[in-house]
Amino acid sequence: MKKLLLLVIAITTAYIALDAATPVNQAAKNAARRPDMAKIKQEVNNPESQYYYPKLIKMYEQNETIMNLEQYRHLYLGTMFQEDYNPYRHSPLSAGIEALYYKEKHTNAELDSIISSAERLLEDDPFDLSQINYLIFALRHRGKNNRADIWQYRLNHLLQAIISTGTGLDTENAWYVINPRHEYNIINFKNQVAQDQNYVEPYFDHITLKKTNDKTPAGYYFNIRYILEEYYRKFPE
C-alpha cells in the first residue's frame, strides 16, 4: 500500500488547475447520489444498452453537445471497465504544455502549439481534465470559440459527472474518480487549496483543505476502489 500511495502522490502533485470560472450545474450537485457501479458495468458492456460504452464514446468524440448528465456519468465511470483503462497514464509532453500555459503572454505560435499538443494527448486520454482546460484556453485566445464551446461543454459535464456521485464529505458519499489527478482538479476547481493527502481504508483518498473561510470543509473523500484494483492487476505483489 505504501508503494501505491507514493505513486498516487507523485502523480497528483503535477496537477494543473482548472479555470475557476468553469461552471457546474447546481442540479447535478443537488441530485448527487452514489453510483451503482455493478449496474453501470453491466450497461456499458451491453451492446443493447443505451449506455453501451462504444456508443457513448462515439457521441463524445463526434463533438456531440446534447449528451445528458446520465450519459456522462456512464461514460466517465464506465471508463474503469474498459480493457485499455489505465489511471496512471501520463505523457512527458504535458510538462511542455504546462510551461506554455503559465506564461504571462502568448504568441499565436505558442497558442497553436498548446492546441496541437493538447489534442494529441487527448487522443490518448480523452478525460484528461487539465489538457481540456489548456485546449479551451488556447482556442479562446485564438478566437476559435465554436470549438472552445464544444470542449467547455465536455469539461462542464465531466466535472458534473464527478460531483454528482456524492458530496465528498465522508466515505459514504465520497466522489468517484477514474484518475488520481482528478482529485486535485476538483479541489482547485472549487477554489480550495489542498494541504495533505491520506489513505483511508479500505479504498479512499482524503484530501485535507487549507482553511480559507468558515465554510471551508475539513477535507474531501474520494473513492479510489477501481483505481486500486487496476493498480494491483498491473502490479501484483
Side-chain angles (χ1 to χ4, degrees):
M1 183 59 65
K2 184 177 181 182
K3 178 182 177 183
L4 173 60
L5 291 179
L6 290 174
L7 181 56
V8 171
I9 292 170
I11 291 175
T12 53
T13 51
Y15 82 100
I16 304 303
L18 299 181
D19 286 339
T22 305
V24 164
N25 192 324
Q26 185 65 38
K29 293 188 285 187
N30 292 341
R33 66 192 189 282
R34 182 164 48 180
D36 184 338
M37 296 301 290
K39 184 178 180 182
I40 288 175
K41 181 178 181 179
Q42 180 182 32
E43 289 178 326
V44 298
N45 290 321
N46 178 8
E48 303 302 318
S49 170
Q50 63 177 317
Y51 299 121
Y52 184 45
Y53 193 85
K55 293 179 183 176
L56 293 178
I57 196 66
K58 183 177 180 180
M59 291 176 65
Y60 180 84
E61 291 174 345
Q62 287 178 335
N63 295 336
E64 185 58 77
T65 57
I66 61 171
M67 291 176 66
N68 59 35
L69 177 59
E70 199 58 40
Q71 289 171 316
Y72 265 88
R73 277 169 61 96
H74 281 75
L75 177 64
Y76 180 81
L77 298 172
T79 299
M80 295 187 284
F81 304 117
Q82 305 309 303
E83 288 264 335
D84 62 347
Y85 172 54
N86 180 4
Y88 302 107
R89 182 179 294 151
H90 185 67
S91 170
L93 181 61
S94 62
I97 304 177
E98 177 183 354
L100 281 179
Y101 176 77
Y102 279 111
K103 288 188 65 174
E104 188 173 340
K105 294 182 179 180
H106 300 84
T107 66
N108 286 341
E110 288 171 337
L111 292 169
D112 289 343
S113 180
I114 292 174
I115 291 170
S116 62
S117 296
E119 288 178 334
R120 195 184 329 159
L121 287 171
L122 286 166
E123 288 178 1
D124 182 59
D125 182 2
F127 308 126
D128 186 325
L129 303 184
S130 297
Q131 297 304 325
I132 295 175
N133 190 57
Y134 293 153
L135 182 56
I136 293 169
F137 169 85
L139 289 171
R140 293 267 183 235
H141 281 75
R142 288 294 274 142
K144 300 179 180 182
N145 290 315
N146 288 339
R147 287 175 61 194
D149 287 344
I150 291 170
W151 280 102
Q152 188 69 64
Y153 183 92
R154 289 171 171 172
L155 179 59
N156 292 351
H157 282 73
L158 290 170
L159 290 167
Q160 288 176 22
I162 298 172
I163 295 296
S164 74
T165 60
T167 63
L169 297 178
D170 53 47
T171 57
E172 286 297 309
N173 297 283
W175 286 320
Y176 285 66
V177 289
I178 66 173
N179 187 305
R181 290 192 297 273
H182 293 178
E183 299 175 8
Y184 287 82
N185 286 141
I186 287 290
I187 287 172
N188 195 74
F189 154 76
K190 292 173 70 64
N191 292 321
Q192 292 167 340
V193 180
Q195 275 195 322
D196 197 11
Q197 175 190 38
N198 295 286
Y199 177 73
V200 179
E201 293 285 356
Y203 40 71
F204 300 97
D205 270 345
H206 181 250
I207 308 295
T208 55
L209 303 175
K210 180 179 179 181
K211 195 76 172 176
T212 55
N213 57 57
D214 293 338
K215 295 182 179 180
T216 304
Y220 291 121
Y221 289 88
F222 295 87
N223 188 310
I224 58 170
R225 172 185 171 183
Y226 298 94
I227 294 176
L228 291 175
E229 288 182 356
E230 186 63 18
Y231 174 83
Y232 290 133
R233 187 179 75 82
K234 283 185 166 60
F235 307 102
E237 293 292 339

